[in-house]
Amino acid sequence: MLNIDEPAHLQPKLALLRLGFRPFFLFGALFSLVALALWGSFLTGRLGFTPHGNPLWWHGHEMLFGFVMAIVAGFLLTASQTWTGQKSIKGWPLGALFLLWLAPRILLANNQWGTFEVVAMLDLLFAPAAALVLARQVIAVRQWRNFAFIPILLLLTVANALSYYGVSSHNSLLVSHAFHGATILMVTIVALIGGRVIPFFTDRATQWQRLDNISWLEKLTFVSLMALFIAMLIGQPLAIMLCAAVAGLTLLVRWSRWGVQSTFGVPLLWSLHLSYLCIPVGLLLIAVGASVSAGLHAMTVGGLGGMILAMMARVSLGHTGRNLLPPKVMTGAFALILISTITRVLASLFPTQFMLWLTIAMVAWIFAFGTFVICYAPILLTPRIDGRPG
């Protein structure tokens, strides 16, 4: 690995722009709070909300391509520096990429702010731009193991484009297929990263000894999820159920080998394990025909949201030179995101009590991510405490 340290005077003066995780973690988390507050206010009739597209499309689109995409980009742009030893984007180029993410978030919130086509074009540039930055680092050292994230980001761009085309042509089925496919792509990213970091972190922090990966199981994870992505995009119910069953069982077996039984005294670990568990649970809910909505929300709220919260809490400490001991209040935040997951799934399974369970889910999410913002904003906005770059 190359030495990526550099003199302090070459670091951007603004700490927020020193590495990708800083702006995208902070403002991604903030955006999820604003987005859910707007969505909840609209549903309860307290707000006349007129975003581009329509409120339902905006909610699904912005939680996936706004919130989750921001955190994915922030993580990959940070991890790529560790993986490859190549300096990652920082300073004004990072600021420009961040603004490319932020501008569509603002413009989409009101259908009077810019034309739909211009906003769509801006938004569709973000994932390819992040992929280009990542590709430059990966290709420079021929680290093909990490190249898989680049085509996934490009496929996310395709799914995003389909969602824009679907809402503009009033094709709600196409929008659903695009959102469902994008969810599986994002789950694939989390599955790949989780398979690397969760057993590694567990081995380092507990008495549990890491087991060797089973090659065919790792490959089947990726293949089954990509098959499910194709099935979701096509919208073939039988193929969706079959692929979801294979992927769910594969991810469940994989997770069972990561030592969850040793983690319950360590919030940064059990939060990762239990959030990851929401992914196979969601897949199996879809596989048995219980509810596509319940399965998707188990994966998005718990699998994506929970893993994001846990990973942001850890990465933000590690990459700012701090001990991996989150504020104690974050333990409550990790619990709240699991409560949000359970209640959002219940909202889909029991539609007669939909608003009750949905309200609890939204409030729990807002408190969970609000806690992160309050605790971690000072960390993300200030330089590393050990004086190193990042």
Side-chain angles (χ1 to χ4, degrees):
M1 181 176 291
L2 301 177
N3 184 359
I4 56 176
D5 286 353
E6 60 187 353
H9 72 275
L10 295 180
Q11 286 288 298
K13 292 183 179 180
L14 188 63
L16 187 68
L17 298 181
R18 290 191 174 183
L19 205 53
F21 75 96
R22 290 177 176 272
F24 288 112
F25 283 10
L26 178 58
F27 284 90
L30 272 170
F31 177 70
S32 79
L33 301 178
V34 174
L36 277 189
L38 287 173
W39 177 240
S41 298
F42 168 76
L43 287 179
T44 54
R46 294 186 176 90
L47 178 69
F49 186 44
T50 55
H52 279 289
N54 59 67
L56 180 61
W57 176 86
W58 177 88
H59 168 65
H61 182 273
E62 290 301 88
M63 292 306 288
L64 286 172
F65 296 105
F67 164 64
V68 178
M69 186 71 84
I71 309 304
V72 166
F75 178 84
L76 290 177
L77 293 174
T78 301
S80 62
Q81 181 166 284
T82 302
W83 294 339
T84 66
Q86 301 289 305
K87 292 177 184 177
S88 189
I89 191 172
K90 64 178 182 178
W92 72 262
L94 175 58
L97 184 64
F98 169 68
L99 289 176
L100 185 60
W101 169 81
L102 182 62
R105 311 288 73 81
I106 296 171
L107 296 174
L108 279 171
N110 190 310
N111 59 21
Q112 300 301 309
W113 296 346
T115 65
F116 185 73
E117 293 77 13
V118 170
V119 178
M121 288 178 61
L122 280 175
D123 194 32
L124 291 171
L125 289 174
F126 177 72
L132 182 62
V133 175
L134 184 60
R136 179 182 60 82
Q137 295 173 276
V138 170
I139 293 173
V141 294
R142 299 184 179 183
Q143 198 177 71
W144 309 123
R145 179 191 182 201
N146 292 313
F147 194 83
F149 296 109
I150 296 162
I152 292 176
L153 287 173
L154 297 179
L155 285 173
L156 279 167
T157 305
V158 173
N160 194 8
L162 289 174
S163 79
Y164 275 108
Y165 178 74
V167 73
S168 64
S169 61
H170 307 288
N171 188 337
S172 59
L173 191 60
L174 180 59
V175 169
S176 294
H177 291 175
F179 285 170
H180 295 174
T183 298
I184 300 306
L185 288 174
M186 289 169 171
V187 162
T188 302
I189 293 175
V190 169
L192 293 176
I193 293 172
R196 298 182 187 183
V197 303
I198 296 176
F200 174 73
F201 292 161
T202 305
D203 178 78
R204 290 286 296 272
T206 70
Q207 299 299 314
W208 176 80
Q209 292 187 345
R210 185 177 182 179
L211 303 175
D212 291 335
N213 286 341
I214 300 174
S215 179
W216 67 263
L217 192 62
E218 299 300 308
K219 293 175 182 175
L220 185 57
T221 296
F222 181 74
V223 171
S224 61
L225 285 171
M226 293 308 296
L228 179 57
F229 160 69
I230 295 170
M232 285 287 196
L233 213 56
I234 296 171
Q236 214 295 320
L238 184 59
I240 289 172
M241 293 174 68
L242 179 60
C243 292
V246 174
L249 291 173
T250 302
L251 267 69
L252 188 61
V253 171
R254 196 165 171 248
W255 171 83
S256 70
R257 305 178 72 250
W258 293 345
V260 63
Q261 68 278 1
S262 303
T263 68
F264 293 109
V266 187
L268 277 180
L269 288 180
W270 62 252
S271 56
L272 284 171
H273 279 267
L274 296 184
S275 295
Y276 192 94
L277 178 61
C278 293
I279 296 175
V281 168
L283 290 168
L284 293 175
L285 281 172
I286 294 172
V288 300
S291 167
V292 172
S293 175
L296 287 169
H297 281 97
M299 289 188 283
T300 52
V301 181
L304 299 180
M307 282 285 290
I308 282 171
L309 187 64
M311 285 297 292
M312 289 197 305
R314 185 184 186 98
V315 170
S316 300
L317 294 174
H319 279 277
T320 56
R322 290 169 170 81
N323 292 327
L324 297 178
L325 294 172
K328 291 184 178 179
V329 70
M330 284 301 297
T331 302
F334 298 146
L336 281 171
I337 204 66
L338 294 174
I339 291 171
S340 180
T341 305
I342 293 168
T343 51
R344 184 58 188 87
V345 169
L346 289 174
S348 295
L349 293 177
F350 301 100
T352 57
Q353 297 177 308
F354 179 80
M355 281 307 303
L356 170 64
W357 294 123
L358 181 64
T359 300
I360 296 172
M362 289 191 294
V363 170
W365 178 291
I366 288 171
F367 273 98
F369 277 87
T371 300
F372 171 82
V373 170
I374 292 169
C375 291
Y376 280 82
I379 295 172
L380 296 169
L381 291 170
T382 54
R384 285 180 64 115
I385 60 174
D386 57 8
R388 293 179 59 192

